[in-house]
Amino acid sequence: MSYHFNKIEEKWQKYWAKNNTFKAQNPPLSGEKEGAPKYYVLDMFPYPSGAGLHVGHPLGYIASDIYARFKRHKGFNVLHPQGYDSFGLPAEQYAIQTGQHPAVTTENNIARYREQLDKIGFSFDWSREVRTSEPDYYKWTQWIFIQLFESWYDQEAEKSRPISELVELFSSEGNTRVNAACDEDTESFSADEWNRFSADEKERILLKYRLTYLAEAEVNWCPQLGTVLANDEIVNGVSERGGYPVIRKKMTQWSMRISAFAERLLQDLNKIDWTESLKESQRNWIGKSVGAMVEFPILSFPKGEEKPGPGYMTGGNNAHLLLEKARENRNKPTEAEKTLWHNLRNKSLGYKFRQQHLIDDFIVDFVCLSKRLVVEVDGGIHDLQVETDEQRTKILESQGFKVIRFRNEELIGDIEAVLERIKTNLAEQPAIREKVQKAPPSGAGGIKVFTTRPDTIFGVTFMTLAPEHDLVQKITTPEHREEVEAYIEASAKRSERERMADVKTISGVFTGAYAKHPFTGESIPVWIGDYVLAGYGTGAVMAVPCGDQRDHDFARHFDLPITNIFENVDVSQEAYAGKEGTVIANSDFLSGLEYKEALNKVILELEKTGHGYGKTNYRLRDAVFSRQRYWGEPFPVYYVNGLPKMIDLEHLPLRLPEVEKYLPTETGEPPLGNATDWAWDTKNNKVVSNEMLKKVQHDRSNRDVTPSAVEGSQDNGVYPLELNTMPGWAGSSWYLFRYMDAGNPDRFVSEEAQKYWENVDLYIGGSEHATGHLLYSRFWTKFLHDRGWLTVEEPFKKLINQGMILGESAFIKRIGFNLAKSFTERLTKEEEEKYGILQGKYEIIDNIYFSSDVVDILKVSKSKPETEEELRMEETKNNILLPFYTEISKDIAENGLKNKVQPVGFFIKTYKTHVPVQFVLGNKLDIENLKKEENIYKDASFVKNEKGEFLVDCEVEKMSKSKYNVVNPDEICKDYGADTLRMYEMFLGPLEQAKPWNTAGITGVHNFLKKLWKLYHDGDEFSVSDDKPSAESLKTFHKTIKKVTEDIEEFSFNTSVSTFMICVNELTAQKCNSLEILEPLAVLIAPYAPHIAEELWEKLGNSNSVSTAAYPEYEEKYLVESTKNYPVSFNGKMRFTMELPLDLSKDEIEKSVLADDRTKNKLDGSTPKKIIVVPGKIVNIVI
RNA sequence: GCGGGCGUGGUGGAAUUGGUAGACACGCUAGACUUAGGAUCUAGUGCCGCGAGGUGUGAAGGUUCGAGUCCUUUCGCCCGCACCA
């Protein structure tokens, strides 16, 4: 009986579906699964595109499926679900073109995907399928959004907390001491002020703290797509999708405060098992850099007003800097400080303590304000401050504070004693009322810069601001205004792309303003230049031409001074960016110091003088969360008085409205602006018609106009809904948790289910999501963890990126020719013009294609054919081309061209076109079928080579419809079977590596499966014997178990397929037919080729699915050998092998080797210098 | 420029702690069989050489009894980030 894979595969796919074979159990576990450990294997769910799957898509799914099946055999309760990331652009674009509702397109595409997936025999638990575009799913996406809105980030505790707690803090102490992630422009206020604010004012302030917030921000606007894009959706300055240009634009948008999580996202990379390259991508994206924030006071103001005196920047003005410094310190406490804080916080000793608190010009480590007790810890990272400590104490005491000090060792050594002393002091101090200290507004009067090289501060010779910098308008002097305005306008016009493409052109203008060097007091000119990015750091740089190449270039271009502050380094030609091993010079108190010393010293000095502080900066920006699209999750948001309000959970999901057109409205609103029913009735909690809105609200762009502001209007409780939708990554950021408890109507995932499944043990998908999906998903997981909805902080424990499968494109060639006067001479331009032909252009011969080797012959053009071979080639060329030439020359016969120019030669150019790969076998084209199936080639002629073949050119490219190189897995399944496809995809090479697909090679794997089938059959009959297997077969089999198991565990699927091949080859040679081997062999191979394994398993007399069988155990005893075939090398080169018993001692081995004739022959009478014997391994003789 | 990764036959790729380089497969060559097929089987196949033998993992050097593997230098390719201060 031969191997009828189609029948077998259909049979088992039906069986699995009918019996729910791969359904994962949620706790409490019962039956066979009782007590089984869990394992969660997840694939990145696909976006169901209209093109369907090609053979590249299932690669990762096959790998994860093999692993999932393997884990089931090993006794795990395996969760292996699949679903669809079904919101997205293509369905919407299709809707715009055809009017077909995206939901319909999506549904159709999903059906096709499912059909294709089912044919490959995956062991997905489809009962848990999720679709991000289903209201039951996006209800919870909306819910998570609301939770983000209802949360703020406590940087002290490093976690997200409910916004209600922040409100409480504000009303008791204002915002000056709260260390929360917030907008940069947040102003400080006291508790009294807060309590006096109106409800709307409070809301506006809270928006600056919420983890998702509405703010006017510079966004990446893509006019062609009509939407904003997140940073990770832009590649090289153009949109990732479509490649359209992107410009900067100010818009009010929802954003996600992911920047608050930067440090955690960075640190926790160390906890997860991802590839180094991927972690590196994330690290790059987060872009942490450590340095200092420095403020340069502005010296000269326009109109000559406010001429600042020498004491312009005084202590009082620096308070905001110190406050920021205090925040920094709180974020990186020393071990000792942590320990102490742990014991002081939350009124542990009966009184409220504060950490890193600002008192006048000092930051103290801990203070109990009500008892006026300061607790200082010496040593650790703040030990540079030691010299000023005495002075501090004096000043603090003069203000009525008592200061007690501890050393690190005391804290770590005996915390109890320390606490005891603090308690005693607390008891002794009289209680007073806390005094609220108000910080001055941030950014008062200076240019703040971030620098990673504060040690080079004495090398500053000018400053540069980004053209968009806020201060530019304020500081530009009248004489320079015109020039500055012109420059700003010019640089605003340049798209991001242009700016990037042209990094070499140096441009900038002087503002006329000067800043004051914080240490030397010198005046420093302030310039603007577009090499400074508004979006990074503060949008301003202190320019150190001697230490930074860009600053150097700028200085040289505008003839600005270049001060050298490095000892023994020449900076006249280029900047010196090295750090280690250089000594700073010309730098006052930094002179003579090396990089590290100088860095520490200057930061200390900056902090002491209040001109700056040590600071860590991140490149990671908050993520824009609004998209001007239809096919996405609607925001559960309506607006009252221009302020966003959330719809209660019980009224979710807020369903997408129907619209007539999927394009933006005429007034430029997002597509949802076309909806006629898109207003929220807060009294009845439902979506109602826009008619219900007050007139003034119809203009939704005018969010700030309140109904009450319009005379005569009354608030009927109906408000406009948000018109934007969420981006693609919203739904995919948490889907892994939904699978754990899909369909739960009460929670996004139940506590029990999440606690049991925890997070994903193995995640497989493409590397294109390195900075998008994977970062956002980590962010949401951390957030949900902080707020107590998840027990885990990371979504994916282990992650593997499968490599892309590339397609082999085939090209067929046409030629264009240009005739020549002789073998070496072309027609001149003049001649071509005169005769009115060809015009220097190559005349393409349409509809005639040439076998690629024929073209190669045609192309050869010798200056003058000398050999007969060359002459023959030229003749061939003429013979082929002359008819076309004659054809063309008819038209020009009147010009008498023929008489004047003899077409003795042709210059040839080839033109290649993609030809569908399904008509190519190897590199030969199946012309007949091509003509039959592809209309455009119906009447084409094909010029074959001498052997009568038509050869194509092949090239490896990404698989895509437009390149006609897509290989459809359905076709492969039909022709070779799913098991063959699965094994072949694995056999192609290492999972993570990109590799070209080559259908021709599939026969090797297919033949292997046939051989496997044959092992269980005698002729046409199924036949397996009860005979004991031979020792040899047992050895073969156990060797295979060992290797395959190791390989699966290391995700080295390609080598395990080889191992199976070797095993079956050997068993076949051994004529092994024994049940004792063939039965467990079927289990061993089941993860790879499940259909054939099930069929054989059933034929062996089993009634349940092979997937329930235990994985075969490898036994060492079958592999024990008594002899070893020793390789004998001379000077490290292997010459021959020698069979020797394994129990021989070193000396005995040496003796036997030396006694061998081949050794004697090699030695040729001489004595070996040295003999190395590694028992069980090798013998090496040194001559 | 910075960071990560990779260079092995005609092709995809194997090679454990440094221990027989090229497993397995495609392709190719020759042969067998045959109611001609995209079938099956046998043998061969890194390169040079009839052979003995020599040579060989991008290149050069080093460590070692022994290097595809470790170290140094260098060349090439791929990926990520990028006027990031």
Side-chain angles (χ1 to χ4, degrees):
Chain A
M1 196 162 101
S2 55
Y3 170 41
H4 292 298
F5 48 85
N6 292 126
K7 253 198 209 155
I8 294 172
E9 292 177 358
E10 203 189 326
K11 168 180 162 188
W12 289 101
Q13 283 160 11
K14 275 191 187 146
Y15 173 94
W16 295 328
K18 203 177 131 204
N19 293 283
N20 290 319
T21 310
F22 305 114
K23 201 170 159 128
Q25 261 192 38
N26 267 22
L29 301 189
S30 61
E32 283 173 9
K33 296 267 172 78
E34 203 173 327
K38 72 101 188 185
Y39 201 87
Y40 187 178
V41 185
L42 184 65
D43 295 298
M44 287 185 186
F45 62 169
Y47 172 79
S49 82
L53 294 171
H54 63 64
V55 290
H57 294 112
L59 180 73
Y61 304 157
I62 294 169
S64 65
D65 195 62
I66 289 170
Y67 204 75
R69 286 173 180 271
F70 169 71
K71 282 284 179 184
R72 283 194 203 99
H73 286 298
K74 284 281 190 185
F76 285 81
N77 181 25
V78 173
L79 175 56
H80 186 42
Q82 188 59 286
Y84 305 95
D85 188 12
S86 45
F87 270 136
L89 216 48
E92 182 162 342
Q93 299 289 51
Y94 191 70
I96 291 169
Q97 286 160 21
T98 65
Q100 174 161 284
H101 197 288
V104 176
T105 312
T106 305
E107 186 69 40
N108 292 343
N109 291 348
I110 287 179
R112 170 143 168 67
Y113 261 64
R114 178 64 188 273
E115 200 183 313
Q116 286 189 295
L117 288 172
D118 281 348
K119 282 196 181 136
I120 306 173
F122 292 120
S123 63
F124 293 130
D125 177 355
W126 284 108
S127 70
R128 295 167 185 259
E129 178 190 315
V130 303
R131 298 179 185 185
T132 55
S133 61
E134 283 297 313
D136 284 348
Y137 181 88
Y138 68 65
K139 167 182 175 177
W140 296 106
T141 311
Q142 292 173 336
W143 176 81
I144 293 172
F145 172 82
I146 295 170
Q147 302 319 310
L148 282 155
F149 184 78
E150 297 296 350
S151 303
W152 62 290
Y153 196 81
D154 182 345
Q155 290 184 326
E156 199 160 317
E158 293 199 339
K159 66 181 282 196
S160 333
R161 294 171 60 184
I163 201 87
S164 56
E165 293 182 19
L166 187 68
V167 172
E168 233 168 82
L169 281 169
F170 284 173
S171 59
S172 69
E173 58 181 41
N175 75 343
T176 51
R177 286 201 228 26
V178 174
N179 188 9
C182 62
D183 290 3
E184 300 228 324
D185 60 354
T186 310
E187 299 201 345
S188 42
F189 50 80
S190 68
D192 284 348
E193 284 170 306
W194 169 261
N195 291 327
R196 279 198 299 273
F197 287 147
S198 71
D200 280 3
E201 274 171 309
K202 283 181 183 166
E203 269 307 309
R204 280 202 182 86
I205 289 164
L206 286 177
L207 261 182
K208 295 173 188 288
Y209 287 87
R210 296 178 188 275
L211 290 187
T212 184
Y213 59 98
L214 197 58
E216 174 158 270
E218 281 236 325
V219 295
N220 307 301
W221 173 257
C222 178
Q224 271 82 352
L225 291 175
T227 188
V228 300
L229 298 169
N231 286 345
D232 65 275
E233 291 168 316
I234 299 160
V235 178
N236 294 329
V238 297
S239 68
E240 188 185 21
R241 214 174 252 285
Y244 302 116
V246 172
I247 59 168
R248 306 287 298 172
K249 192 176 171 185
K250 277 214 166 179
M251 285 177 78
T252 300
Q253 299 282 302
W254 284 102
S255 280
M256 287 280 162
R257 213 176 290 283
I258 186 172
S259 58
F261 292 77
E263 186 63 29
R264 271 164 85 192
L265 288 169
L266 184 69
Q267 291 308 325
D268 290 354
L269 285 172
N270 299 324
K271 296 184 191 163
I272 46 183
D273 183 8
W274 294 12
T275 57
E276 202 42 48
S277 68
L278 209 125
K279 287 185 182 183
E280 204 53 39
S281 287
Q282 295 224 336
R283 285 190 197 111
N284 262 332
W285 197 258
I286 295 167
K288 179 177 182 172
S289 47
V290 180
M293 195 65 102
V294 185
E295 183 155 340
F296 288 69
I298 292 157
L299 278 177
S300 147
F301 281 78
K303 295 175 200 156
E305 310 165 350
E306 303 181 58
K307 270 270 189 258
Y312 172 70
M313 194 75 175
T314 62
N317 276 341
N318 299 335
H320 66 281
L321 281 173
L322 284 167
L323 268 176
E324 283 175 56
K325 162 70 183 160
R327 283 192 195 132
E328 289 287 321
N329 282 353
R330 269 177 281 193
N331 284 339
K332 44 177 186 185
T334 63
E335 271 313 304
E337 285 173 346
K338 251 191 221 165
T339 316
L340 184 55
W341 180 235
H342 185 72
N343 284 289
L344 293 180
R345 62 192 301 186
N346 296 333
K347 299 192 178 174
S348 302
L349 300 182
Y351 294 94
K352 184 169 173 89
F353 268 85
R354 294 166 195 285
Q355 187 187 12
Q356 294 295 333
H357 189 76
L358 178 71
I359 300 177
D360 275 0
D361 281 359
F362 303 112
I363 298 165
V364 300
D365 289 336
F366 303 97
V367 61
C368 171
L369 289 172
S370 59
K371 283 284 189 175
R372 304 237 115 190
L373 182 70
V374 172
V375 180
E376 292 268 74
V377 179
D378 298 339
I381 60 163
H382 309 311
D383 61 356
L384 290 164
Q385 296 178 352
V386 168
E387 48 194 82
T388 59
D389 279 350
E390 240 174 73
Q391 207 189 342
R392 285 163 67 111
T393 308
K394 267 187 200 150
I395 296 174
L396 286 170
E397 280 173 352
S398 74
Q399 296 201 7
F401 283 93
K402 174 154 190 193
V403 181
I404 50 175
R405 271 175 200 289
F406 297 98
R407 280 174 294 113
N408 269 337
E409 306 84 71
E410 286 180 90
L411 279 170
I412 291 162
D414 191 356
I415 185 80
E416 290 306 322
V418 170
L419 291 175
E420 211 37 58
R421 224 178 104 195
I422 295 174
K423 270 193 219 164
T424 317
N425 277 287
L426 279 172
E428 284 168 6
Q429 285 288 104
I432 55 147
R433 252 192 84 234
E434 279 190 28
K435 191 182 113 200
V436 175
Q437 188 183 12
K438 197 184 158 191
S442 183
I447 301 173
K448 278 165 98 182
V449 298
F450 174 73
T451 173
T452 54
R453 294 296 303 275
D455 56 307
T456 62
I457 194 159
F458 287 94
V460 174
T461 56
F462 62 100
M463 304 194 67
T464 317
L465 306 183
E468 302 92 329
H469 198 284
D470 285 342
L471 275 175
V472 174
Q473 297 302 333
K474 292 182 199 153
I475 63 171
T476 304
T477 57
E479 314 81 85
H480 291 89
R481 186 158 295 274
E482 204 176 315
E483 210 186 339
V484 167
E485 296 285 338
Y487 184 75
I488 293 172
E489 201 181 316
S491 67
K493 267 194 201 144
R494 300 176 74 194
S495 67
E496 195 83 350
R497 185 168 209 188
E498 282 173 305
R499 231 162 122 158
M500 262 196 270
D502 149 59
V503 292
K504 279 171 203 94
T505 314
I506 296 159
S507 70
V509 287
F510 180 44
T511 61
Y514 289 86
K516 181 181 148 190
H517 192 284
F519 294 118
T520 64
E522 278 170 33
S523 302
I524 303 162
V526 180
W527 286 64
I528 61 173
D530 69 1
Y531 80 98
V532 178
L533 303 176
Y536 183 76
T538 61
V541 299
M542 58 175 223
V544 183
C546 64
D548 184 291
Q549 194 54 48
R550 291 157 301 172
D551 296 343
H552 197 274
D553 294 342
F554 198 85
R556 298 236 297 188
H557 190 264
F558 291 107
D559 209 16
L560 293 159
I562 298 170
T563 317
N564 190 1
I565 52 144
F566 300 113
E567 228 163 65
N568 302 324
V569 175
D570 177 21
V571 295
S572 59
Q573 292 312 305
E574 56 179 14
Y576 175 79
K579 291 176 179 175
E580 311 299 331
T582 333
V583 175
I584 305 281
N586 280 328
S587 297
D588 192 10
F589 58 90
L590 296 179
S591 296
L593 299 178
E594 288 206 4
Y595 166 70
K596 272 210 175 113
E597 301 169 295
L599 194 71
N600 287 333
K601 177 114 190 218
V602 75
I603 291 177
L604 176 67
E605 208 61 34
L606 283 167
E607 291 176 0
K608 220 159 57 175
T609 57
H611 288 104
Y613 55 93
K615 156 117 182 134
T616 303
N617 205 32
Y618 299 91
R619 197 180 75 98
L620 184 69
R621 305 280 95 198
D622 282 349
V624 179
F625 199 64
S626 300
R627 294 293 182 279
Q628 291 68 46
R629 305 239 67 96
Y630 174 74
W631 193 230
E633 298 87 348
F635 284 84
V637 173
Y638 60 93
Y639 289 91
V640 180
N641 298 348
L643 284 169
K645 306 283 176 196
M646 298 294 129
I647 292 172
D648 289 337
L649 169 64
E650 56 195 294
H651 310 302
L652 298 181
L654 176 67
R655 288 163 187 269
L656 257 181
E658 296 303 316
V659 292
E660 261 179 42
K661 282 195 318 186
Y662 300 96
L663 284 168
T665 66
E666 279 162 18
T667 52
E669 284 176 341
L672 292 193
N674 292 317
T676 50
D677 296 336
W678 199 235
W680 185 251
D681 180 345
T682 55
K683 291 189 177 133
N684 300 303
N685 290 307
K686 59 174 194 181
V687 176
V688 294
S689 160
N690 296 351
E691 311 264 305
M692 300 281 287
L693 289 171
K694 290 280 141 210
K695 237 194 178 128
V696 64
Q697 289 173 334
H698 273 298
D699 180 9
R700 290 163 199 255
S701 58
N702 196 3
R703 284 193 181 115
D704 289 338
V705 180
T706 66
S708 54
V710 181
E711 211 179 331
S713 73
Q714 240 182 1
D715 194 347
N716 64 351
V718 177
Y719 301 102
L721 282 159
E722 168 73 51
L723 298 181
N724 290 296
T725 53
M726 299 188 196
W729 53 269
S732 60
S733 291
W734 70 280
Y735 76 113
L736 68 148
F737 296 110
R738 190 62 179 167
Y739 284 132
M740 296 173 178
D741 194 16
N744 184 333
D746 304 318
R747 215 164 181 272
F748 73 104
V749 55
S750 74
E751 262 182 289
E752 312 83 70
Q754 191 276 316
K755 206 170 152 198
Y756 177 72
W757 293 111
E758 295 181 319
N759 51 10
V760 176
D761 293 286
L762 174 65
Y763 195 36
I764 297 186
S767 58
E768 66 273 20
H769 299 109
T771 48
H773 161 59
L774 289 173
L775 202 62
Y776 296 128
S777 185
R778 293 182 63 216
F779 158 41
W780 279 26
T781 303
K782 285 182 192 307
F783 163 71
L784 291 167
H785 166 83
D786 287 353
R787 291 297 313 274
W789 289 298
L790 293 178
T791 62
V792 293
E793 274 202 74
E794 285 289 338
F796 313 110
K797 277 199 201 102
K798 181 173 177 65
L799 182 136
I800 298 178
N801 289 129
Q802 89 264 25
M804 200 187 308
I805 291 192
L806 303 165
E808 196 152 90
S809 304
F811 296 92
I812 52 174
K813 288 175 174 169
R814 284 180 301 168
I815 58 170
F817 68 96
N818 195 341
L819 76 167
K821 281 194 278 197
S822 71
F823 291 106
T824 49
E825 254 186 297
R826 283 167 188 260
L827 291 180
T828 62
K829 275 255 152 59
E830 290 73 35
E831 279 170 327
E832 281 177 348
E833 255 167 57
K834 187 172 153 200
Y835 305 133
I837 57 144
L838 302 181
Q839 297 283 2
K841 273 187 255 152
Y842 284 78
E843 207 62 35
I844 301 175
I845 306 174
D846 266 331
N847 234 6
I848 297 184
Y849 299 89
F850 296 84
S851 175
S852 69
D853 49 345
V854 173
V855 174
D856 290 341
I857 294 173
L858 294 178
K859 262 178 22 188
V860 177
S861 220
K862 274 284 177 161
S863 53
K864 181 137 191 128
E866 279 158 9
T867 66
E868 262 181 43
E869 174 68 13
E870 284 162 6
L871 200 62
R872 199 183 58 77
M873 277 187 181
E874 282 304 325
E875 274 171 15
T876 313
K877 193 163 151 183
N878 283 346
N879 287 340
I880 291 173
L881 292 174
L882 221 45
F884 301 109
Y885 169 72
T886 317
E887 185 79 6
I888 290 165
S889 61
K890 261 187 214 157
D891 303 336
I892 50 166
E894 300 103 59
N895 294 328
L897 176 73
K898 260 185 175 170
N899 304 323
K900 287 179 185 162
V901 184
Q902 273 301 317
V904 286
F906 296 96
F907 287 95
I908 292 191
K909 228 182 188 172
T910 54
Y911 298 84
K912 52 184 196 176
T913 326
H914 279 98
V915 64
V917 280
Q918 62 262 37
F919 303 108
V920 177
L921 208 96
N923 59 349
K924 298 184 192 88
L925 184 69
D926 179 355
I927 296 166
E928 245 172 70
N929 277 314
L930 177 71
K931 283 179 143 185
K932 224 190 289 172
E933 312 245 340
E934 297 287 320
N935 233 342
I936 51 166
Y937 296 109
K938 209 169 64 187
D939 303 318
S941 320
F942 293 85
V943 179
K944 299 175 187 170
N945 65 13
E946 288 166 339
K947 288 187 209 158
E949 297 163 327
F950 189 96
L951 304 184
V952 297
D953 268 9
C954 293
E955 218 173 280
V956 171
E957 294 180 296
K958 214 169 148 172
M959 264 196 200
S960 99
K961 224 175 169 180
S962 64
K963 296 188 173 108
Y964 296 101
N965 61 356
V966 171
V967 180
N968 188 325
D970 301 1
E971 298 287 316
I972 305 289
C973 287
K974 201 179 89 202
D975 295 347
Y976 302 94
D979 286 339
T980 301
L981 173 73
R982 292 168 63 106
M983 290 198 98
Y984 185 55
E985 292 225 355
M986 292 298 102
F987 186 64
L988 278 177
L991 180 60
E992 308 202 26
Q993 193 176 301
K995 55 234 157 201
W997 176 269
N998 173 13
T999 305
I1002 205 166
T1003 52
V1005 171
H1006 191 60
N1007 286 341
F1008 154 74
L1009 285 173
K1010 283 198 218 165
K1011 275 189 224 164
L1012 176 75
W1013 183 260
K1014 269 193 192 161
L1015 266 185
Y1016 295 75
H1017 291 80
D1018 183 9
D1020 276 351
E1021 287 302 308
F1022 181 80
S1023 155
V1024 171
S1025 79
D1026 290 329
D1027 298 347
K1028 275 266 154 213
S1030 68
E1032 219 188 346
S1033 298
L1034 281 168
K1035 189 172 143 192
T1036 295
F1037 183 57
H1038 282 266
K1039 188 175 75 183
T1040 307
I1041 301 175
K1042 183 168 189 257
K1043 177 87 168 98
V1044 168
T1045 312
E1046 285 168 1
D1047 285 349
I1048 292 188
E1049 276 161 2
E1050 284 164 28
F1051 308 98
S1052 176
F1053 301 105
N1054 56 326
T1055 52
S1056 44
V1057 177
S1058 305
T1059 308
F1060 281 123
M1061 288 173 169
I1062 296 167
C1063 174
V1064 168
N1065 286 347
E1066 286 184 9
L1067 291 179
T1068 306
Q1070 293 156 11
K1071 302 207 160 43
C1072 174
N1073 185 236
S1074 168
L1075 179 76
E1076 199 180 318
I1077 284 175
L1078 294 187
E1079 189 167 59
L1081 177 63
V1083 182
L1084 196 65
I1085 207 164
Y1088 291 82
H1091 309 87
I1092 194 173
E1094 289 277 22
E1095 185 70 13
L1096 294 171
W1097 185 249
E1098 188 190 56
K1099 284 180 185 290
L1100 287 162
N1102 297 289
S1103 56
N1104 52 0
S1105 162
V1106 70
S1107 67
T1108 60
Y1111 205 73
E1113 287 294 326
Y1114 146 73
E1115 286 181 61
E1116 183 75 47
K1117 67 178 180 195
Y1118 295 115
L1119 298 196
V1120 176
E1121 304 245 15
S1122 59
T1123 65
K1124 158 85 188 171
N1125 197 15
Y1126 278 97
V1128 180
S1129 324
F1130 292 79
N1131 291 336
K1133 294 255 175 232
M1134 207 281 287
R1135 292 303 156 186
F1136 57 86
T1137 60
M1138 227 179 135
E1139 188 90 6
L1140 290 169
L1142 262 171
D1143 51 11
L1144 285 192
S1145 72
K1146 260 189 174 185
D1147 289 347
E1148 286 169 320
I1149 295 170
E1150 189 176 324
K1151 223 192 275 170
S1152 314
V1153 171
L1154 285 176
D1156 193 282
D1157 280 345
R1158 289 170 295 186
T1159 312
K1160 286 177 185 157
N1161 218 344
K1162 269 276 160 201
L1163 287 174
D1164 200 18
S1166 61
T1167 322
K1169 274 190 198 149
K1170 198 170 173 187
I1171 298 172
I1172 287 104
V1173 178
V1174 185
K1177 280 257 156 103
I1178 198 173
V1179 177
N1180 189 17
I1181 300 168
V1182 188
I1183 310 172

